[in-house]
Amino acid sequence: MKRNKRHFTLLELIIAMAVFGLFAVGLMQFFNTTQNVMISSSGMAEMMDRARTALDMMASDIACAVQPATGTSSATNVWQSNENSFSVLTKRPGKVQDDGGSYSKTNIAAVAYELSNNRLSYGVKTDATSIGSVPADTAIVDGVKDFRVSTKKSGDAVLPFMVVLELELYPWDDWVKADYSASGIDDKRAWTFTRTVTIDRGQNTSSSTSN
């Protein structure tokens, strides 16, 4: 006995194609979402690395700040700061290399950090006895929206006992897409990283700057 073969109707084909289309759209949306999450996570990790590198450098120099010489009443020889920059006379471990490539005879250095044109930079002067004038011309991190320095002092102390650093960075992808310029980047996209540093005023003294 011959069986009749049943074919799909036009309506069934349309329904099958519609279901397949919805599945394909859902799969594409899932793929795009996953990719965006991976890109965002990578960008966040990169931004956190940039912030950590800069804050670690500054915190190390601040924590090892050299105390003023006996009888010195002014803080300008060991510490100076304003809202977007600071200079400190610090005791660095091991030999210190200045911007010119020369190594110091002592491990005392004057270090300056400054924000300019969305770039945080620093400069080093070796064998220093005071902060003097140190040009901050070596870049640490780009894409900086803002950098703030605030201090807390006790009484008439020359050095602050606490320094709070706030570093506000743009996501690196945004910074690159904006052609390394803050124009066109939504300020709300920036992230703020904070580091609080305490200075042990009993550790280092400026008398150690002598050879």
Side-chain angles (χ1 to χ4, degrees):
M1 184 176 179
K2 189 176 181 180
R3 294 183 179 180
N4 293 327
K5 292 184 178 180
R6 184 181 180 279
H7 299 284
F8 291 108
T9 65
L10 180 60
L11 179 60
E12 289 173 333
L13 288 174
I14 292 175
I15 293 175
M17 291 178 65
V19 171
F20 177 78
L22 290 174
F23 175 77
V25 170
L27 188 63
M28 287 296 296
Q29 288 180 342
F30 174 77
F31 175 77
N32 289 335
T33 301
T34 303
Q35 189 177 38
N36 290 335
V37 169
M38 291 179 62
I39 293 174
S40 177
S41 299
S42 176
M44 179 61 66
E46 194 276 341
M47 182 169 57
M48 293 178 68
D49 284 342
R50 290 159 58 212
R52 182 167 53 248
T53 297
L55 291 173
D56 283 350
M57 285 183 62
M58 292 185 287
S60 177
D61 284 330
I62 293 173
C64 295
V66 172
Q67 307 303 305
T70 303
T72 302
S73 59
S74 173
T76 57
N77 67 328
V78 294
W79 172 268
Q80 195 170 38
S81 66
N82 57 39
E83 187 177 0
N84 301 116
S85 67
F86 72 90
S87 300
V88 61
L89 191 66
T90 186
K91 186 175 183 179
R92 288 187 162 187
K95 291 185 177 181
V96 182
Q97 190 175 16
D98 63 15
D99 295 338
S102 301
Y103 285 96
S104 65
K105 298 177 181 177
T106 69
N107 59 351
I108 302 297
V111 185
Y113 293 87
E114 182 180 1
L115 174 65
S116 179
N117 297 323
N118 299 109
R119 170 178 291 177
L120 182 64
S121 303
Y122 81 108
V124 179
K125 179 182 178 183
T126 59
D127 296 324
T129 56
S130 66
I131 55 176
S133 177
V134 182
D137 50 12
T138 302
I140 304 175
V141 60
D142 283 316
V144 181
K145 178 180 179 291
D146 200 5
F147 171 59
R148 295 177 292 274
V149 182
S150 57
T151 62
K152 292 184 179 181
K153 292 183 179 181
S154 58
D156 58 351
V158 173
L159 276 173
F161 67 86
M162 181 181 294
V163 180
V164 180
L165 305 170
E166 293 181 79
L167 187 62
E168 200 168 357
L169 297 180
Y170 292 114
W172 186 248
D173 288 344
D174 292 5
W175 182 249
V176 173
K177 289 177 182 177
D179 198 21
Y180 307 98
S181 171
S183 60
I185 302 180
D186 185 359
D187 287 344
K188 294 180 181 179
R189 295 272 295 165
W191 285 70
T192 301
F193 301 87
T194 304
R195 181 75 60 88
T196 300
V197 188
T198 57
I199 299 176
D200 186 353
R201 294 191 293 270
Q203 290 297 317
N204 305 316
T205 61
S206 59
S207 61
S208 62
T209 59
S210 59
N211 293 338

